[in-house]
Amino acid sequence: MNDYTTNYDRGNGFTGINVFASVMTRVYGWMTIALLLTAGVAVYTAYSPQLLYAIYGSQAGIWILMIAELAIVVTLSAAINRLSPTTAALLFLGYSALNGLTMATIFFAFERSTIYQAFFATALTFGGMSLFGYTTKRDLTSLGGFLGMTLLGLVIATLVNMFMRSEGLSMILTYVGVFLFVGLTAYDTQKIKQMTYAVQASGNDSMIGRVAILGALSLYLDFINLFLYILRLFGRRSD
């Protein structure tokens, strides 16, 4: 399809407007809600000794939290075609809340001022790269394999460094993480565009809501990971 502003007259609110723009409005809307939910839960948890103890008082609490988060991401990614938009949205928000529980620890590891600075830097970087992915005419599909392999290598190297505890390797991995999620932000934004056009071409209007949730999850993960790597790179640790 070359004309991506085709009227979408199926009674679903897309008539006479750019379908992709409408989907991206939903994507950024859901992503913003998820980020606010994560931040709210993280702050609440950081100031709740009882909740902190319940989560971090034993290894079991941490493992249960990590497994629950992984299960939700896998479910959303693998079963998105079978989930209703409402169920997908609830799972996404549930994941965002659980992620807030794990994010609470940054308030003990870093100074408040650097957390806010890292968030602002992340927002600017993410916004710029997502805008690039949104507007560029260049096909970024070829980057997918490279970014995927880099992500796999980053995960493996991070696991290895948990035992090596090398400060030098940790710094290298932090830089790699920043550049990786900068690239993924642009790539995933364009991928949402491609998914939207595929759904429009198929005439499967019910998938529009699902694409918005799945796209919001992808960009949410990019934002969170980019924020954490920027925080590690520039953040001042608490004494």
Side-chain angles (χ1 to χ4, degrees):
M1 293 178 63
N2 294 320
D3 181 7
Y4 297 132
T5 59
T6 304
N7 286 351
Y8 207 50
D9 189 13
R10 298 183 187 275
N12 57 8
F14 290 109
T15 304
I17 60 176
N18 187 307
V19 179
F20 175 58
S22 300
V23 171
M24 288 308 297
T25 298
R26 292 190 184 189
V27 167
Y28 291 131
W30 280 116
M31 178 187 161
T32 300
I33 292 171
L35 288 173
L36 290 174
L37 180 58
T38 298
V41 172
V43 172
Y44 178 81
T45 304
Y47 288 95
S48 174
Q50 295 85 356
L51 191 53
L52 284 171
Y53 181 77
I55 299 170
Y56 299 102
S58 67
Q59 288 292 328
I62 300 173
W63 278 105
I64 290 173
L65 194 58
M66 293 175 60
I67 292 171
E69 289 187 75
L70 180 61
I72 291 176
V73 171
V74 171
T75 300
L76 274 173
S77 302
I80 190 66
N81 291 334
R82 299 190 298 274
L83 298 173
S84 69
T86 300
T87 301
L90 290 175
L91 285 173
F92 177 44
L93 294 178
Y95 173 80
S96 304
L98 290 177
N99 203 32
L101 297 176
T102 61
M103 294 279 288
T105 55
I106 68 173
F107 291 98
F108 303 102
F110 297 93
E111 295 181 2
R112 300 290 193 275
S113 60
T114 57
I115 293 174
Y116 304 142
Q117 290 167 7
F119 183 86
F120 182 69
T122 302
L124 287 178
T125 305
F126 176 91
M129 293 309 299
S130 189
L131 180 63
F132 172 75
Y134 186 103
T135 59
T136 185
K137 301 299 183 182
R138 183 180 303 174
D139 187 359
L140 304 179
T141 304
S142 59
L143 290 178
F146 171 76
L147 293 172
M149 291 301 297
T150 302
L151 178 59
L152 178 61
L154 180 64
V155 171
I156 294 174
T158 299
L159 291 175
V160 170
N161 200 42
M162 289 176 63
F163 300 97
M164 294 176 55
R165 299 183 182 277
S166 169
E167 289 293 334
L169 179 57
S170 179
M171 183 58 66
I172 291 173
L173 294 177
T174 300
Y175 278 106
V176 171
V178 170
F179 287 110
L180 170 64
F181 286 101
V182 163
L184 279 172
T185 298
Y187 172 81
D188 285 337
T189 301
Q190 188 177 86
K191 186 176 179 180
I192 296 169
K193 179 191 294 186
Q194 295 167 346
M195 291 168 60
T196 302
Y197 297 156
V199 169
Q200 184 185 13
S202 70
N204 188 357
D205 303 351
S206 64
M207 279 298 296
I208 289 292
R210 298 183 180 95
V211 168
I213 295 298
L214 191 59
L217 174 64
S218 297
L219 294 185
Y220 169 88
L221 291 173
D222 292 340
F223 188 99
I224 290 294
N225 282 285
L226 181 59
F227 166 69
L228 291 175
Y229 279 111
I230 288 178
L231 184 60
R232 292 172 194 169
L233 192 60
F234 299 110
R236 292 190 298 274
R237 293 189 175 272
S238 298
D239 295 330

